[in-house]
Structures are given as C-alpha cells and as structure tokens.
Amino acid sequence: MLFVTNVKMNLNHARYNFDGILQELKFKISSKQILSVNAWINKNERQIPSYNFYQTNKTWQWDASARLSANWTYVNNKFRTVIKSAYLQDKIIYNDSVSEIFSKAISKNIIAENENYYSLNKNIELIFGVNYTSSKGISSNYNKQKQFDKIAAQSGIKFSFFNHRWLNFTSVRAEKISTGALPITSNLSQPDTSQNLSLTYVILPFESA
C-alpha cells in the first residue's frame, strides 16, 4: 500500500553550511608558451542528526580542502612539453561532545609531472614522462604521521597509419615507491579510431624482475 501526503517534514538538528571559491587563470606568455593556475578552496560545516528526534544532537563535522594546480605548456615545431604541479590538502574534524569523541585528520598530497612529445614525422611520435607523488596523512587516532612517496617514468612510441585511422602505441613504465621498486611493465595497444568502429585491442603487460 502506498501513502501519498503533501505534508512538509523537517529534520531537526541537521544544519549544513558550505563556503567555497574557485578561480581559474590562464596566461599566454608567448606564441609558444601557456601558463594556467587554478585554485579551489572550500569549507563544509554540518550537524549530524541524532537517531532520537527529541534529543538535541551535538555531533558536528567540519570538512575543509584546498586544491592548487599549475600547468606550463611549451610548443616548438615538432617538440611539445607540459609541466604540471598540484598541491592538495584535506582536513576533517569530527566532534561528538556527548560520546566524547574528538577526531581530527589531515592529508596532504604533492604531485609534479613532466610530459614530453617529439614528432619524428606525421606518423611517428616519441613520448617520455616522469611523475613524482608524495602523500602525507596524520590523524588523532594515530601516534605518528604516515607518508607515501612514488617516482614513475614512462617512455613510448606511437605510430599512426591510414591517415591516423589506425594507431599503435608501445610503452615501458618503471616505478619506485617508498617501500621498494616495482617491476618494469610494458604494454602494446592498437585502437581503431575510424568513425564507424572504436575498438581497442590490448596485449597484457609483461613483468620482469
């Protein structure tokens, strides 16, 4: 049986507030260089309602985050390079004075990478890139800060045939993380980019110690 009602119902002790700002800037330094800077900062404040509708709840959660990024692109004839960087920070504060739970967690991430492309001709392109990622986290439930670092490098070559309707991309990737080095992996893919067919055939990567 389905009951339909037009009565408006309110959930008490469930206040919510959101503040944020988003800014995107792009500068054309020259005919060959473009710089873009982006920033996104926001803050959330919410009261978590109680399971007892007649009891005033004192549980709150505050979320705050800051995301900053910058990209620099340089193009010169057959060569193109892109440098990207980002800083991400998230903070969560949870307070429940009734249950005496007071928790605070903060995470910080730094990302920097560089991508390089060089066209030997209209059908062959060389690709090389490196990436560095660092993540840190600390919480009131742990005694010390946790950190994870990673460095990765990838190189490849891309072939195009039949007026760029058929592509072949071969790459090799190596990674080193703070707990050790990962095996070198490689893969081969051949996507069909024709207008009527879009299939990708991927050979599974092999690993070597």
Side-chain angles (χ1 to χ4, degrees):
M1 180 177 294
L2 178 63
F3 295 94
V4 179
T5 177
N6 293 325
V7 178
K8 183 179 180 180
M9 303 180 66
N10 296 324
L11 181 61
N12 297 325
H13 315 300
R15 286 178 290 178
Y16 178 82
N17 181 65
F18 175 83
D19 298 309
I21 182 173
L22 175 64
Q23 181 66 60
E24 298 181 2
L25 301 174
K26 183 173 290 188
F27 307 93
K28 187 175 182 180
I29 302 176
S30 66
S31 59
K32 300 179 180 180
Q33 302 180 66
I34 296 178
L35 175 65
S36 61
V37 180
N38 305 314
W40 180 26
I41 302 174
N42 65 75
K43 180 184 67 174
N44 302 325
E45 182 180 355
R46 59 176 65 90
Q47 184 182 23
I48 302 176
S50 173
Y51 62 89
N52 187 347
F53 296 102
Y54 301 99
Q55 178 182 358
T56 301
N57 194 26
K58 295 184 178 181
T59 304
W60 290 83
Q61 179 171 311
W62 290 266
D63 304 337
S65 63
R67 290 168 170 78
L68 309 175
S69 65
N71 300 335
W72 176 71
T73 303
Y74 175 80
V75 180
N76 185 10
N77 295 328
K78 297 182 178 181
F79 176 72
R80 175 167 59 95
T81 183
V82 181
I83 297 178
K84 304 177 182 179
S85 62
Y87 175 77
L88 314 174
Q89 178 175 302
D90 293 275
K91 179 187 297 185
I92 299 178
I93 301 176
Y94 178 86
N95 291 336
D96 186 350
S97 58
V98 176
S99 303
E100 296 185 354
I101 299 176
F102 305 96
S103 176
K104 180 179 180 181
I106 300 176
S107 65
K108 299 179 181 180
N109 299 275
I110 298 176
I111 304 173
E113 65 180 32
N114 174 232
E115 300 174 358
N116 300 277
Y117 305 86
Y118 184 79
S119 298
L120 297 178
N121 52 53
K122 65 178 183 179
N123 297 321
I124 303 177
E125 185 178 51
L126 302 178
I127 302 172
F128 176 76
V130 292
N131 173 277
Y132 170 75
T133 302
S134 177
S135 301
K136 300 178 182 179
I138 186 171
S139 174
S140 55
N141 298 321
Y142 295 90
N143 295 328
K144 60 179 182 179
Q145 176 179 271
K146 302 295 182 179
Q147 182 170 347
F148 173 83
D149 297 316
K150 182 186 72 172
I151 299 177
Q154 181 176 359
S155 62
I157 183 170
K158 183 175 69 175
F159 300 92
S160 62
F161 307 96
F162 307 111
N163 197 22
H164 301 285
R165 292 179 177 272
W166 183 264
L167 302 179
N168 176 283
F169 180 72
T170 303
S171 66
V172 178
R173 180 182 179 90
E175 292 187 7
K176 181 177 177 58
I177 59 178
S178 51
T179 57
L182 297 179
I184 298 176
T185 61
S186 66
N187 73 305
L188 171 66
S189 62
Q190 291 182 320
D192 184 358
T193 59
S194 62
Q195 297 179 358
N196 299 324
L197 182 63
S198 179
L199 298 176
T200 303
Y201 306 91
V202 179
I203 298 177
L204 295 178
F206 66 86
E207 297 185 356
S208 60

